[in-house]
Amino acid sequence: MKTIRPPLVAFAAALGCALMASPAQADGEVTCNSGPKDKWKPMAELRKKVWAEGWQLEKALVQGDCYEVYARNEAGQVLEAFFHPVTLKKLIVYRRGQEIFRAKGFDPAG
Amino acid sequence: MTLLPRATAKAILWLLLAVPAALMLRGLVGGEALPMDLLHPSGETSVRLMVLAMLPGPLIDAFGPNRFLRGWLSIRRNLGVAAFAYALLHLAIYVIDMRTIAAMLDELGLPGIWTGWLALFLMILPAAVSFDRAMRWLGRGWKRIQRLVYAAFVLALAHWLLLDWNWKPAAIHLLPLAMAWLLRAWRVSTKVTRERTFA
Protein backbone atom coordinates (compact mmCIF):
# COMPACT_ATOMS: atom_id res chain seq x y z
CA MET A 1 0.00 0.00 0.00
CA LYS A 2 1.34 3.43 -0.92
CA THR A 3 1.67 5.97 1.84
CA ILE A 4 2.41 9.68 1.88
CA ARG A 5 2.89 9.78 5.62
CA PRO A 6 6.64 10.67 5.75
CA PRO A 7 6.22 13.96 3.87
CA LEU A 8 3.22 14.86 6.00
CA VAL A 9 5.16 14.17 9.20
CA ALA A 10 8.06 16.25 7.88
CA PHE A 11 5.71 19.09 6.96
CA ALA A 12 4.29 19.03 10.47
CA ALA A 13 7.83 19.17 11.89
CA ALA A 14 8.75 22.11 9.65
CA LEU A 15 5.55 23.92 10.58
CA GLY A 16 6.43 23.41 14.25
CA CYS A 17 9.89 24.93 13.64
CA ALA A 18 8.36 27.90 11.87
CA LEU A 19 5.90 28.50 14.70
CA MET A 20 8.69 28.33 17.30
CA ALA A 21 10.69 31.03 15.57
CA SER A 22 9.84 34.69 15.84
CA PRO A 23 9.06 35.94 12.36
CA ALA A 24 11.35 38.49 10.76
CA GLN A 25 11.23 40.60 7.63
CA ALA A 26 12.83 39.19 4.48
CA ASP A 27 16.06 41.18 4.06
CA GLY A 28 15.13 42.19 0.53
CA GLU A 29 11.93 43.74 1.86
CA VAL A 30 13.39 46.13 4.46
CA THR A 31 12.59 49.70 3.47
CA CYS A 32 14.49 52.69 4.85
CA ASN A 33 12.68 55.57 3.04
CA SER A 34 16.07 57.13 2.44
CA GLY A 35 15.30 59.38 -0.52
CA PRO A 36 17.67 60.29 -3.38
CA LYS A 37 21.11 58.66 -3.39
CA ASP A 38 23.00 61.96 -3.71
CA LYS A 39 22.00 62.70 -0.10
CA TRP A 40 23.40 59.40 1.19
CA LYS A 41 26.49 59.34 3.37
CA PRO A 42 29.45 57.48 1.85
CA MET A 43 30.16 53.81 2.64
CA ALA A 44 33.40 54.82 4.37
CA GLU A 45 31.35 56.55 7.06
CA LEU A 46 29.18 53.48 7.41
CA ARG A 47 32.32 51.39 8.01
CA LYS A 48 33.38 53.81 10.76
CA LYS A 49 29.92 53.56 12.30
CA VAL A 50 30.13 49.75 12.29
CA TRP A 51 33.57 49.93 13.89
CA ALA A 52 32.16 52.27 16.55
CA GLU A 53 29.52 49.63 17.34
CA GLY A 54 32.41 47.33 18.24
CA TRP A 55 31.59 45.06 15.30
CA GLN A 56 33.93 43.43 12.84
CA LEU A 57 32.69 44.24 9.35
CA GLU A 58 32.43 41.35 6.89
CA LYS A 59 30.57 43.01 4.06
CA ALA A 60 28.66 46.23 3.40
CA LEU A 61 26.30 46.74 0.48
CA VAL A 62 23.26 48.64 -0.75
CA GLN A 63 20.07 46.65 -0.33
CA GLY A 64 17.06 48.41 -1.82
CA ASP A 65 17.15 51.88 -0.26
CA CYS A 66 19.14 50.79 2.81
CA TYR A 67 22.73 50.11 3.73
CA GLU A 68 23.05 46.47 4.69
CA VAL A 69 25.93 45.21 6.78
CA TYR A 70 27.14 41.71 7.57
CA ALA A 71 29.30 41.78 10.66
CA ARG A 72 30.33 40.00 13.85
CA ASN A 73 29.85 41.48 17.30
CA GLU A 74 32.33 41.20 20.16
CA ALA A 75 30.82 37.84 21.16
CA GLY A 76 31.52 36.50 17.65
CA GLN A 77 27.84 36.39 16.72
CA VAL A 78 27.04 36.80 13.02
CA LEU A 79 24.79 39.80 12.46
CA GLU A 80 22.91 41.28 9.55
CA ALA A 81 22.07 44.93 10.13
CA PHE A 82 20.34 47.71 8.21
CA PHE A 83 21.40 51.34 8.51
CA HIS A 84 19.71 54.45 7.21
CA PRO A 85 21.92 55.74 4.36
CA VAL A 86 21.35 59.43 5.20
CA THR A 87 21.53 59.41 9.00
CA LEU A 88 23.52 56.16 9.38
CA LYS A 89 21.15 55.28 12.17
CA LYS A 90 21.08 51.58 13.06
CA LEU A 91 17.54 50.54 12.16
CA ILE A 92 17.23 46.79 12.52
CA VAL A 93 19.54 43.87 13.34
CA TYR A 94 18.99 40.19 12.64
CA ARG A 95 20.89 37.21 13.95
CA ARG A 96 20.42 34.13 11.76
CA GLY A 97 16.98 35.29 10.68
CA GLN A 98 15.83 36.40 14.13
CA GLU A 99 15.29 40.05 14.87
CA ILE A 100 17.41 41.09 17.87
CA PHE A 101 17.20 44.89 17.63
CA ARG A 102 14.83 47.43 16.14
CA ALA A 103 15.15 51.20 16.44
CA LYS A 104 12.22 52.83 18.19
CA GLY A 105 9.46 53.71 15.73
CA PHE A 106 11.10 51.96 12.77
CA ASP A 107 8.84 49.91 10.52
CA PRO A 108 10.92 47.67 8.19
CA ALA A 109 7.99 47.43 5.76
CA GLY A 110 8.11 51.18 5.30
CA MET B 1 20.93 1.21 -27.39
CA THR B 2 23.76 2.21 -25.07
CA LEU B 3 25.71 5.19 -26.37
CA LEU B 4 28.42 5.19 -23.72
CA PRO B 5 29.88 2.52 -21.45
CA ARG B 6 28.24 2.69 -18.01
CA ALA B 7 31.45 3.69 -16.21
CA THR B 8 32.16 6.51 -18.71
CA ALA B 9 28.60 7.81 -18.45
CA LYS B 10 28.86 7.77 -14.65
CA ALA B 11 32.20 9.62 -14.75
CA ILE B 12 30.72 12.31 -17.04
CA LEU B 13 27.68 12.64 -14.76
CA TRP B 14 29.90 13.15 -11.69
CA LEU B 15 32.08 15.58 -13.57
CA LEU B 16 28.98 17.64 -14.38
CA LEU B 17 27.76 17.38 -10.79
CA ALA B 18 31.14 18.66 -9.57
CA VAL B 19 31.12 21.79 -11.76
CA PRO B 20 29.18 24.05 -9.32
CA ALA B 21 31.45 22.97 -6.44
CA ALA B 22 34.55 23.70 -8.55
CA LEU B 23 33.26 27.19 -9.38
CA MET B 24 32.46 27.90 -5.74
CA LEU B 25 35.88 26.72 -4.56
CA ARG B 26 37.60 28.72 -7.29
CA GLY B 27 35.80 31.85 -6.06
CA LEU B 28 36.82 31.11 -2.48
CA VAL B 29 40.47 30.29 -3.23
CA GLY B 30 40.77 33.22 -5.66
CA GLY B 31 39.47 35.60 -3.00
CA GLU B 32 36.53 36.71 -5.17
CA ALA B 33 34.01 35.29 -2.68
CA LEU B 34 33.82 35.27 1.09
CA PRO B 35 32.82 32.00 2.79
CA MET B 36 29.48 33.63 3.69
CA ASP B 37 28.86 34.30 -0.04
CA LEU B 38 29.00 30.56 -0.73
CA LEU B 39 26.58 29.47 1.97
CA HIS B 40 23.57 30.18 -0.24
CA PRO B 41 24.81 28.58 -3.49
CA SER B 42 26.08 25.41 -1.77
CA GLY B 43 22.87 24.96 0.21
CA GLU B 44 20.66 25.70 -2.79
CA THR B 45 22.57 23.25 -4.97
CA SER B 46 22.05 20.57 -2.34
CA VAL B 47 18.29 21.27 -2.21
CA ARG B 48 18.02 21.29 -6.02
CA LEU B 49 19.76 17.93 -6.25
CA MET B 50 17.44 16.55 -3.58
CA VAL B 51 14.47 17.70 -5.68
CA LEU B 52 15.95 16.06 -8.79
CA ALA B 53 16.55 12.84 -6.83
CA MET B 54 13.02 12.77 -5.41
CA LEU B 55 11.07 13.66 -8.57
CA PRO B 56 11.35 10.56 -10.80
CA GLY B 57 9.66 8.20 -8.28
CA PRO B 58 6.30 10.00 -8.08
CA LEU B 59 6.47 10.93 -11.79
CA ILE B 60 6.82 7.27 -12.77
CA ASP B 61 3.95 6.37 -10.44
CA ALA B 62 1.85 9.10 -12.07
CA PHE B 63 2.74 8.70 -15.76
CA GLY B 64 4.11 5.17 -15.92
CA PRO B 65 7.66 4.30 -16.93
CA ASN B 66 9.00 5.75 -20.17
CA ARG B 67 12.53 5.96 -21.52
CA PHE B 68 13.20 9.44 -20.17
CA LEU B 69 11.91 8.73 -16.66
CA ARG B 70 13.70 5.34 -16.54
CA GLY B 71 16.96 7.09 -17.46
CA TRP B 72 16.33 9.71 -14.80
CA LEU B 73 15.54 6.99 -12.26
CA SER B 74 18.80 5.21 -13.11
CA ILE B 75 20.85 8.23 -11.95
CA ARG B 76 18.65 9.01 -8.95
CA ARG B 77 21.06 7.56 -6.39
CA ASN B 78 23.92 9.60 -7.86
CA LEU B 79 21.82 12.75 -7.54
CA GLY B 80 20.99 11.91 -3.93
CA VAL B 81 24.62 11.28 -3.01
CA ALA B 82 25.62 14.52 -4.77
CA ALA B 83 22.95 16.36 -2.74
CA PHE B 84 24.59 15.00 0.41
CA ALA B 85 28.05 15.99 -0.88
CA TYR B 86 26.83 19.57 -1.44
CA ALA B 87 25.28 19.56 2.04
CA LEU B 88 28.73 18.60 3.39
CA LEU B 89 30.31 21.37 1.33
CA HIS B 90 27.70 23.76 2.79
CA LEU B 91 28.74 22.60 6.28
CA ALA B 92 32.45 22.98 5.49
CA ILE B 93 31.86 26.56 4.28
CA TYR B 94 29.80 27.27 7.40
CA VAL B 95 32.63 25.96 9.62
CA ILE B 96 35.17 28.15 7.78
CA ASP B 97 32.84 31.15 8.09
CA MET B 98 32.16 30.61 11.80
CA ARG B 99 35.88 30.14 12.62
CA THR B 100 35.38 28.63 16.09
CA ILE B 101 33.42 25.70 17.52
CA ALA B 102 32.33 27.95 20.39
CA ALA B 103 30.64 30.35 17.92
CA MET B 104 28.89 27.42 16.22
CA LEU B 105 27.67 26.01 19.54
CA ASP B 106 26.49 29.47 20.60
CA GLU B 107 24.00 29.65 17.73
CA LEU B 108 23.04 25.97 17.65
CA GLY B 109 19.80 26.65 19.50
CA LEU B 110 18.51 29.11 16.89
CA PRO B 111 15.72 27.54 14.79
CA GLY B 112 17.36 28.61 11.53
CA ILE B 113 20.51 26.74 12.52
CA TRP B 114 19.40 23.52 14.20
CA THR B 115 16.97 22.76 11.38
CA GLY B 116 19.99 22.74 9.04
CA TRP B 117 21.99 20.44 11.32
CA LEU B 118 19.03 18.06 11.65
CA ALA B 119 18.49 18.02 7.88
CA LEU B 120 22.15 17.09 7.41
CA PHE B 121 22.01 14.32 10.03
CA LEU B 122 18.90 12.85 8.42
CA MET B 123 20.78 12.65 5.12
CA ILE B 124 23.72 10.69 6.53
CA LEU B 125 22.08 7.26 6.70
CA PRO B 126 20.39 7.36 3.25
CA ALA B 127 23.69 8.53 1.71
CA ALA B 128 25.72 5.90 3.59
CA VAL B 129 23.63 3.03 2.20
CA SER B 130 23.47 4.35 -1.37
CA PHE B 131 25.48 1.55 -2.92
CA ASP B 132 24.40 -1.72 -4.57
CA ARG B 133 25.54 -4.09 -1.83
CA ALA B 134 23.74 -2.12 0.90
CA MET B 135 20.60 -2.19 -1.24
CA ARG B 136 20.80 -5.98 -1.48
CA TRP B 137 21.54 -6.40 2.24
CA LEU B 138 18.75 -4.14 3.41
CA GLY B 139 16.05 -5.37 1.01
CA ARG B 140 12.76 -3.56 1.70
CA GLY B 141 14.35 -1.72 4.62
CA TRP B 142 16.51 0.22 2.14
CA LYS B 143 13.51 2.11 0.82
CA ARG B 144 12.38 2.95 4.36
CA ILE B 145 15.82 4.42 5.10
CA GLN B 146 15.69 6.48 1.90
CA ARG B 147 12.40 8.02 3.05
CA LEU B 148 14.41 9.97 5.64
CA VAL B 149 15.32 12.21 2.71
CA TYR B 150 11.73 13.55 2.65
CA ALA B 151 12.09 14.79 6.23
CA ALA B 152 15.60 16.11 5.47
CA PHE B 153 14.25 18.01 2.46
CA VAL B 154 11.46 19.69 4.41
CA LEU B 155 13.84 20.57 7.24
CA ALA B 156 16.29 22.00 4.69
CA LEU B 157 13.49 24.21 3.34
CA ALA B 158 12.58 25.24 6.90
CA HIS B 159 16.29 26.07 7.52
CA TRP B 160 16.28 28.24 4.39
CA LEU B 161 12.99 29.93 5.25
CA LEU B 162 13.93 30.63 8.88
CA LEU B 163 17.20 32.29 7.84
CA ASP B 164 15.88 34.36 4.95
CA TRP B 165 12.20 34.91 5.70
CA ASN B 166 11.64 34.93 1.99
CA TRP B 167 9.16 32.18 1.16
CA LYS B 168 9.37 32.45 -2.65
CA PRO B 169 12.69 30.64 -3.35
CA ALA B 170 11.84 27.83 -0.93
CA ALA B 171 8.33 27.54 -2.42
CA ILE B 172 9.73 27.37 -5.95
CA HIS B 173 11.86 24.38 -4.92
CA LEU B 174 8.94 22.68 -3.19
CA LEU B 175 6.45 23.27 -6.01
CA PRO B 176 7.58 20.59 -8.52
CA LEU B 177 7.68 17.95 -5.80
CA ALA B 178 4.35 18.98 -4.33
CA MET B 179 2.80 18.78 -7.81
CA ALA B 180 4.36 15.36 -8.46
CA TRP B 181 3.16 14.05 -5.07
CA LEU B 182 -0.35 15.39 -5.67
CA LEU B 183 -0.41 13.93 -9.17
CA ARG B 184 0.68 10.55 -7.82
CA ALA B 185 -1.90 10.68 -5.03
CA TRP B 186 -4.60 11.60 -7.56
CA ARG B 187 -3.57 8.81 -9.98
CA VAL B 188 -3.46 6.24 -7.17
CA SER B 189 -6.88 7.31 -5.83
CA THR B 190 -8.53 7.28 -9.28
CA LYS B 191 -6.98 3.85 -9.97
CA VAL B 192 -8.33 2.49 -6.67
CA THR B 193 -11.79 3.95 -7.41
CA ARG B 194 -11.75 2.42 -10.92
CA GLU B 195 -10.69 -0.98 -9.57
CA ARG B 196 -13.46 -0.86 -6.94
CA THR B 197 -16.02 0.14 -9.59
CA PHE B 198 -15.12 -2.79 -11.84
CA ALA B 199 -14.62 -5.31 -9.01
Side-chain angles (χ1 to χ4, degrees), chain B residues 39-83:
Chain B
L39 286 169
H40 251 289
S42 56
E44 278 182 42
T45 308
S46 179
V47 169
R48 280 175 197 164
L49 287 165
M50 283 167 94
V51 172
L52 287 175
M54 287 192 283
L55 267 176
L59 287 179
I60 283 181
D61 287 343
F63 297 112
N66 59 42
R67 205 175 156 193
F68 173 72
L69 289 176
R70 269 202 300 263
W72 191 352
L73 197 69
S74 71
I75 61 164
R76 178 166 67 168
R77 266 190 291 159
N78 296 278
L79 297 170
V81 173

Side-chain angles (χ1 to χ4, degrees), chain A residues 18-32:
Chain A
L19 290 174
M20 280 165 66
S22 56
Q25 192 84 7
D27 59 6
E29 292 168 9
V30 175
T31 306
C32 293

Side-chain angles (χ1 to χ4, degrees), chain A residues 58-59 70, chain B residues 28 33-41 93 97:
Chain A
E58 296 278 322
K59 198 175 174 180
Y70 290 92
Chain B
L28 190 64
L34 294 170
M36 60 173 280
D37 295 327
L38 300 178
L39 286 169
H40 251 289
I93 292 165
D97 184 51

